[in-house]
Amino acid sequence: MSRRPEDDPKAFLTELFQAAVAAARPDRAVPRHLPQPPKGKTVVVGAGKAAAAMAKAVEDNWQGALEGLVITRYGHGLPEGEGPRRIEVVEAGHPVPDEAGEKAAARVLELAQAAGEDDLLLCLISGGGSALLPLPAAGLSLEEKKAVYEALLRSGATIGEINCVRKHLSAIKGGRLAAAAYPARVVSLIVSDVPGDSPATIASGPTAPDPTTLEDTVEILRRYGIHETSHVLHQIERYGTESPKPGDRLFERVENILVARPQQSLEAAAALVEQAGVTPLILGDSLEGEAREVARVLAGIAAQVRRHGQPVPAPALLLSGGETTVTVKGKGRGGRNAEFALAFAIAADGAENLHLIACDTDGIDGSEDNAGAYASGDTLARAREKGLDAKALLADNDAYSFFQTLEDLISTGPTRTNVNDFRAILVL
């Protein structure tokens, strides 16, 4: 580390976040996992926030001819002149899919269908791929899919539940991309952004067998009482086709390889703080739950470290990853990491020597322009001086405005990778 934690805790934590992101950069993660070239042609397809950088890493390290297409979020492509030349990069809508994504996804499916037995379909998959491959199943429109997805985002459904629904409203997810390419060989290089690192969940598993069912989808839609689903439910129950399952012979020619995972980024941060004389403790890489509830729990653990030296003595760094959720009830702005940070600040109000950073490793916290936010035990005192009501803003889901006023938003711009959330609590 280039600085001591006690000198500038915010800068120290920001540097840790940058190190965690760097550990998941595609130019580091992709090359060592590239397969051998096939007898036939190599076709590259993919989708996700890391897709452009992954395509560039493939192109820079591939021996032989290449062609293909990958889809990434608007603003997540590489600067002009720095991107891949043989692999086309299309930018499309995320988190809400759009027509550009639908058209590009149709082209991806066509490329897979055209692959022959001696060919290799090299798939580059990363978080965000679900929204960027919005090709509807037969009988459904993109507008219907968008309405259901937006309702699920507001409902507080988990990422696993959302992906289950996505798979069964899709012509390409849930293993269907691999099915389209059969009998070509399929190798997927995957950057994980989900708790548990399951290839069946990342980007809704376009090349992985799907253990979820149509029945699961119907149950999820009904459980959350989403009124946008009446026609969708009718189409599923009448015309829906099941996704390919574990054990299907088509997956004998499919290899799904994890090239970067949240745990690796947490370990990179842990190694750095040890050099600074701080004890790291990784609480888990797959923490889930309502953002404000998880924040209260982690604030309690931090308080235990500060007051009693348990489960580790101070100075310590509590690290965690995963993906929290936000049930939107207000009209404010802010993603799950800013909401987490605000709830943490409320729980830690007045506590000395507690500092937090909570950021999304893709550089975008939800749909805002920040990666996340910084908070500490004196955040609320500073907020009161500026006339901010932290609890009222939290109730209105307006953590963005809160931290913007305090100048404690963390902004990086798109990082072109994605290993989910990074949370670090420094106890001095």
Side-chain angles (χ1 to χ4, degrees):
M1 297 291 296
S2 63
R3 65 184 79 243
R4 297 190 306 172
E6 61 271 21
D7 292 340
D8 190 340
K10 181 180 178 181
F12 179 83
L13 290 171
T14 301
E15 189 174 334
L16 282 182
F17 171 59
Q18 292 167 344
V21 170
R25 277 174 37 185
D27 61 345
R28 295 184 181 183
V30 167
R32 64 180 179 271
H33 295 287
L34 288 173
Q36 290 296 313
K39 293 181 181 179
K41 63 183 179 180
T42 299
V43 179
V44 178
V45 298
K49 297 171 188 174
M54 293 179 78
K56 176 64 173 172
V58 170
E59 196 168 282
D60 287 348
N61 294 276
W62 188 257
Q63 302 298 318
L66 280 177
E67 59 180 286
L69 165 70
V70 299
I71 313 166
T72 195
R73 179 178 176 164
Y74 291 121
H76 287 244
L78 294 167
E80 186 174 354
E82 297 181 17
R85 297 180 180 181
R86 292 173 287 170
I87 303 167
E88 182 182 355
V89 177
V90 174
E91 296 189 3
H94 180 282
V96 179
D98 63 6
E99 186 178 354
E102 182 181 22
K103 290 180 178 178
R107 292 176 59 196
V108 165
L109 190 62
E110 289 170 1
L111 287 169
Q113 291 168 335
E117 186 172 359
D118 291 333
D119 297 336
L120 169 66
L121 188 73
L122 183 59
C123 301
L124 309 178
I125 298 170
S126 57
S130 287
L132 296 165
L133 289 170
L135 192 61
L140 297 176
S141 70
L142 179 60
E143 290 305 313
E144 287 170 330
K145 283 192 65 178
K146 286 170 62 175
V148 171
Y149 178 54
E150 289 172 341
L152 282 170
L153 284 177
R154 294 191 301 267
S155 72
T158 68
I159 187 62
E161 292 170 330
I162 291 172
N163 281 347
C164 172
V165 173
R166 281 168 160 168
K167 291 177 186 181
H168 291 93
L169 304 186
S170 173
I172 198 169
K173 304 184 188 83
R176 291 183 174 90
L177 181 60
Y182 186 81
R185 183 185 176 206
V186 176
V187 175
S188 287
L189 305 183
I190 303 171
V191 175
S192 172
D193 72 322
V194 301
D197 303 327
S198 170
T201 303
I202 303 161
S204 298
T207 62
D210 178 24
T212 69
T213 66
L214 283 167
E215 289 183 1
D216 294 333
T217 300
V218 172
E219 193 276 328
I220 290 167
L221 293 175
R222 287 178 171 160
R223 184 193 321 153
Y224 287 101
I226 298 171
H227 68 273
E228 291 89 347
T229 63
S230 57
H231 175 66
V232 172
L233 283 169
H234 173 74
Q235 292 297 101
I236 289 175
E237 292 173 329
R238 186 171 181 181
Y239 302 112
T241 57
E242 192 53 89
S243 50
K245 302 300 175 201
D248 192 309
R249 68 189 184 96
L250 75 89
F251 293 109
E252 294 174 0
R253 303 215 69 195
V254 177
E255 187 177 5
N256 290 302
I257 303 170
L258 290 168
V259 302
R261 299 175 298 145
Q263 179 69 14
Q264 293 169 339
S265 288
L266 296 177
E267 289 173 355
L272 274 181
V273 298
E274 283 185 313
Q275 298 173 16
V278 177
T279 303
L281 177 63
I282 297 176
L283 299 174
D285 67 347
S286 55
L287 272 62
E288 297 181 273
E290 194 73 22
R292 60 186 67 185
E293 299 297 334
V294 178
R296 278 195 283 266
V297 171
L298 294 193
I301 296 173
Q304 183 74 3
V305 173
R306 184 175 65 88
R307 300 196 326 252
H308 304 295
Q310 297 174 334
V312 290
L317 187 80
L318 306 178
L319 289 160
S320 65
E323 183 168 335
T324 61
T325 54
V326 174
T327 302
V328 179
K329 298 179 180 179
K331 297 180 180 180
R333 301 171 61 192
R336 61 182 181 266
N337 286 287
E339 178 138 333
F340 179 98
L342 179 51
F344 178 91
I346 293 170
D349 186 20
E352 295 181 356
N353 298 324
L354 286 188
H355 305 269
L356 161 84
I357 193 171
C359 291
D360 195 325
T361 54
D362 67 9
I364 305 295
D365 187 23
S367 58
E368 302 298 340
D369 58 3
N370 63 311
Y374 162 82
S376 67
D378 67 355
T379 290
L380 258 62
R382 294 169 51 224
R384 285 188 283 267
E385 290 176 359
K386 293 182 177 292
L388 296 174
D389 186 334
K391 291 183 179 179
L393 288 167
L394 180 62
D396 197 34
N397 300 116
D398 200 9
Y400 184 95
S401 298
F402 178 88
F403 288 109
Q404 183 181 47
T405 302
L406 295 180
E407 299 183 353
D408 277 337
L409 293 174
I410 304 296
S411 298
T412 63
T415 64
R416 300 178 180 88
T417 191
N418 185 15
V419 287
N420 224 317
D421 296 339
F422 175 86
R423 295 177 294 269
I425 302 171
L426 178 64
V427 187
L428 293 173

